[in-house]
Amino acid sequence: DFQDGWVRSIPNRSYANVPPVPTGGKRGSFIGSILEETQPLASFNMGFDSIKAAMGVQYVFVLVLIGAWCVLLSAAASAVATDWVGSFPAMSRMEIVRVMLVVAAIISAAVVASEIGHLLWSRMYFKSRIFWITLEGTFQDAELRIGNSFTGNAQSRSQLTRVEDATLRVWVADIESVSFGKDGKRFIMAMAPVDEIAKSTADRLKHFAFEQSSIVAPTSSRDLSKLQAIASMNDAYQSGGMAAIENNLRERLALARNGMGESVEKQLPPNAGIVKFFDDAKGYGFISCDDGIERFFNTNSFQVDKAVKRGDRVTFEHRDSERGPKALRVEKMA
């Protein structure tokens, strides 16, 4: 999901990536977190068509005034030094010291103004998006057995870690930052929450977890497929013994090789919905479908028209995959 949102195919800046690995024996707690930021992009362009257009911007006008003040102070220091240097032979030491102090003070003021102007001219603004995801809860080791222990001959048994309760937190925000010079630190100036992206990310994570085949209760599609396969092998054994099971496995393998068997991604018929969110700069968004499911799409999903925006009615073909529901061949309705 993060890779689909990479800016110009540049990976995010990863500040923390702690997997929620269970520790502490057969029962305990776990916690994991991810903190990533998209690559900051410059958000302020200092290019202008003319001097008049540049001076119309208050920020540029102030910088020009600081530069002019620096030049004026430098000229004043030169004028004072030139005017008084010829009078030094007739002046006392104290008077000469006073003149030199005045010139030094004016030069110092000019240097300070120059440094301030240089610092402000080198100021750069950036925009980026930060993701913070945390998952914590408790776990207990368990043993899962699938199949009839009394009359069945095909069974499955595995050791797994059962999540008893968990809390998922997803926080997404757009941030504006500023730095002074290419080697300067960035300072955060403003932050704004992106609730739509946060909710969509949380929904897709929950959907991904629900579809995993590592839970005790067989509720995911992959679990149900395994149950069907075990039941089929049981029926085959009851009717013909081990030879029937071998024939059953050969038939399933033949179907898989011919592309007729079950796959991880199942193609579904076309559907329609409304664009809930679309980031034109990053090229991805989400569709609120008529069937109540929110699906992800990106610029590679467009069939004809790429000019979609929030609220547009679109048609598409959807596909359920391991990463969650997706929309393909997206086309805006007339």
Side-chain angles (χ1 to χ4, degrees), residues 271-294:
N271 207 334
I274 298 176
V275 177
K276 180 179 180 181
F277 166 80
F278 181 68
D279 191 329
D280 185 62
K282 297 183 179 180
Y284 72 91
F286 300 92
I287 299 175
S288 295
C289 308
D290 293 345
D291 57 6
I293 300 176
E294 188 172 290

Side-chain angles (χ1 to χ4, degrees), residues 177-252:
S177 54
V178 62
S179 68
F180 298 91
K182 64 179 183 178
D183 298 324
K185 294 182 178 180
R186 283 192 302 133
F187 300 90
I188 295 178
M189 304 297 292
M191 304 180 69
V194 191
D195 296 335
E196 293 180 346
I197 298 296
K199 184 179 183 303
S200 299
T201 302
D203 290 341
R204 285 155 64 187
L205 285 172
K206 289 186 290 185
H207 182 271
F208 174 79
F210 184 77
E211 287 298 319
Q212 296 308 298
S213 180
S214 60
I215 54 181
V216 173
T219 57
S220 70
S221 58
R222 296 168 66 182
D223 286 325
L224 296 177
S225 298
K226 292 178 181 179
L227 287 174
Q228 292 175 358
I230 291 175
S232 176
M233 286 188 289
N234 267 325
D235 294 340
Y237 183 85
Q238 295 294 335
S239 61
M242 290 301 300
I245 291 181
E246 293 177 359
N247 292 332
N248 183 280
L249 292 176
R250 290 194 188 96
E251 292 176 359
R252 288 177 176 272

Side-chain angles (χ1 to χ4, degrees), residues 75-88 91 99 103:
S78 300
V80 171
T82 302
D83 184 60
W84 286 93
V85 69
S87 303
F88 278 180
M91 298 173 62
V99 172
V103 173

Side-chain angles (χ1 to χ4, degrees), residues 122-151:
S122 64
R123 182 166 63 173
M124 295 178 288
Y125 294 92
F126 298 94
K127 283 186 176 182
S128 59
R129 178 168 291 170
I130 192 167
F131 297 84
W132 183 18
I133 302 174
T134 61
L135 178 66
E136 57 182 322
T138 59
F139 72 93
Q140 180 178 0
D141 286 348
E143 183 180 82
L144 173 65
R145 296 187 181 186
I146 299 178
N148 192 319
S149 302
F150 299 99
T151 61

